[in-house]
Amino acid sequence: MSHPSERGFVHPTPSEITPRAAYDGRRRWLQQVAAGALGAGLAGWAARDALAQAKGAPLVGAKSAVAGAVTMEKPTSRNDATTYNNYYEFGTDKSDPARTAHTLKPRPWTVAVEGEVKKPKVFDLDELLKLAPMEERIYRLRCVEGWSMVIPWVGWSMAELIRRVEPTGNAKFVEFVTLADRAQMPGLRSSVLDWPYVEGLRLDEAMHPLTLLAFGMYGEVLPNQNGAPVRLVVPWKYGFKSGKSIVKIRFVDKQPNTAWMKAASSEYGFYSNVNPKVDHPRWSQATERRIGEEGGLFAKKRPTLMFNGYEPQVGQLYAGMDLAKQF
Ligand code: MTE
């Protein structure tokens, strides 16, 4: 095994690191907000459900113990992360979702889990909120278009759900189907994608502890434009693999045909792992621009890391694969 520095690790510069005291202070503050609002010590679950109905309600997670789940890089501002979005069901411009996603109704909500599982089940959102302890994960998110952010998510590992539904021996892949409702989503009038937005993972990728089912960000329930009420976050893959507003999770034996593969299979492969060595036909993947960084469009670009920097955790999943062919 090579030394991390030989594997292209770039350590954050001091200015990118949130001072420990400020970080801890913010966490304590969020916990106090949650506890105070509930009057029940640290957020009893029943009361959390009631709170979770409100926009901007606290949703606090304990710091995750999963390896690689917390970066010390400075999080992108909440304002940038909630106004610069890709959510084509609400328009194709980055500023569209923040303006138009207020028509999404994140409650009531169910997620149907079906296919090759011994215990298929339709989960109500309230059940999902209680299914496993909430954790805060601070992940880098890199878009194939060449920009990146650092976002503090709140949720739990997808593996928690997978274990409970007991996949059969035929389950090789997991397909994620997201909401497609013309009444709530103005972008569905456009045929830019074949709706509904569908994404997929191999079963072992979905089981990886870093694969997160997220319900919140920045210590609050997810804003609509970021995929309320529940979305996937797969930090070592390009952003589009992380489907928003999920309504169905299907376990299948064949590789799912995803919305982006249907739109342009030569540009978007099934795996879509962040890989600085394999360029997209239209955008280099070697470097990236961190949203919100001083200098804006002219800010110095930073090198993109293999698997978005999560190589020590996920590299083994792809041992023996030719990632230029299976991109
Ligand atoms: N999910 C749905 N349903 N529709 C979308 O258009 N866009 C994807 C992904 N999930 C998308 C989606 C893309 S391209 C990216 S980069 C991320 O969401 C952006 O997530 P963010 O807006 O929270 O940063």
Side-chain angles (χ1 to χ4, degrees):
M1 243 245 169
S2 57
H3 185 269
S5 62
E6 291 160 30
R7 278 183 267 137
F9 266 89
V10 175
H11 294 283
T13 59
S15 68
E16 290 165 353
I17 297 173
T18 309
R20 190 74 230 175
Y23 182 81
D24 284 341
R26 198 160 63 222
R27 176 188 310 283
R28 258 197 309 280
W29 178 79
L30 280 168
Q31 287 174 343
Q32 277 158 10
V33 170
L38 301 168
L42 251 184
W45 276 115
R48 246 194 240 192
D49 285 349
L51 267 177
Q53 309 209 20
K55 224 182 182 170
L59 186 67
V60 183
K63 189 174 168 183
S64 178
V66 172
V70 176
T71 168
M72 292 305 282
E73 283 176 81
K74 186 175 161 194
T76 302
S77 77
R78 186 185 184 285
N79 186 54
D80 281 335
T82 57
T83 57
Y84 190 89
N85 301 105
N86 275 336
Y87 196 168
Y88 278 20
E89 290 86 334
F90 291 100
T92 54
D93 199 272
K94 295 280 179 290
S95 61
D96 286 340
R99 249 184 334 100
T100 62
H102 58 89
T103 50
L104 175 72
K105 288 196 209 75
R107 289 241 174 196
W109 195 275
T110 58
V111 178
V113 184
E114 56 183 49
E116 292 291 346
V117 288
K118 290 185 196 129
K119 296 181 173 169
K121 183 177 156 109
V122 178
F123 289 87
D124 190 81
L125 180 60
D126 290 329
E127 265 177 282
L128 290 176
L129 287 167
K130 281 180 279 196
L131 189 127
M134 290 287 170
E135 290 180 12
E136 185 178 65
R137 308 271 183 95
I138 305 178
Y139 284 165
R140 285 179 291 276
L141 179 136
R142 192 204 189 276
C143 179
V144 71
E145 294 163 340
W147 49 267
S148 63
M149 299 194 196
V150 176
I151 298 184
W153 301 103
V154 184
W156 35 257
S157 290
M158 177 70 203
E160 297 277 1
L161 178 68
I162 298 180
R163 273 190 222 109
R164 284 166 173 84
V165 296
E166 297 179 23
T168 71
N170 295 329
K172 303 281 188 301
F173 295 90
V174 190
E175 182 179 72
F176 299 87
V177 183
T178 73
L179 184 71
D181 179 3
R182 276 174 169 256
Q184 298 180 56
M185 303 172 135
L188 295 190
R189 286 195 292 264
S190 147
S191 54
V192 59
L193 288 174
D194 184 5
W195 314 110
Y197 192 101
V198 170
E199 260 308 337
L201 295 174
R202 219 168 52 193
L203 183 61
D204 57 345
E205 297 177 322
M207 281 295 291
H208 193 282
L210 284 175
T211 300
L212 186 75
L213 213 54
F215 302 87
M217 62 196 281
Y218 298 90
E220 295 176 358
V221 298
L222 281 176
N224 289 356
Q225 62 268 37
N226 293 90
V230 52
R231 69 172 295 172
L232 198 67
V233 188
V234 194
W236 70 95
K237 293 180 180 271
Y238 292 115
F240 63 87
K241 295 299 284 184
S242 298
K244 295 175 167 180
S245 309
I246 293 169
V247 291
K248 195 181 284 185
I249 299 174
R250 290 181 62 222
F251 290 75
V252 293
D253 62 347
K254 297 210 172 54
Q255 183 175 296
N257 203 4
T258 71
W260 284 107
M261 287 164 76
K262 283 192 213 169
S265 59
S266 59
E267 297 194 13
Y268 306 102
F270 177 78
Y271 285 94
S272 300
N273 292 311
V274 173
N275 188 340
K277 286 176 263 171
V278 179
D279 280 340
H280 178 275
R282 286 182 283 145
W283 304 291
S284 161
Q285 302 303 327
T287 60
E288 64 198 57
R289 179 171 67 87
R290 184 62 54 82
I291 297 297
E293 220 157 52
E294 251 171 79
L297 277 171
F298 305 101
K300 200 164 168 279
K301 292 198 173 170
R302 60 179 70 213
T304 287
L305 305 180
M306 188 63 201
F307 297 113
N308 206 16
Y310 300 94
E311 185 170 23
Q313 289 82 29
V314 304
Q316 253 326 99
L317 291 173
Y318 310 99
M321 278 174 68
D322 181 347
L323 297 176
K325 291 209 179 83
Q326 292 187 289
F327 59 90

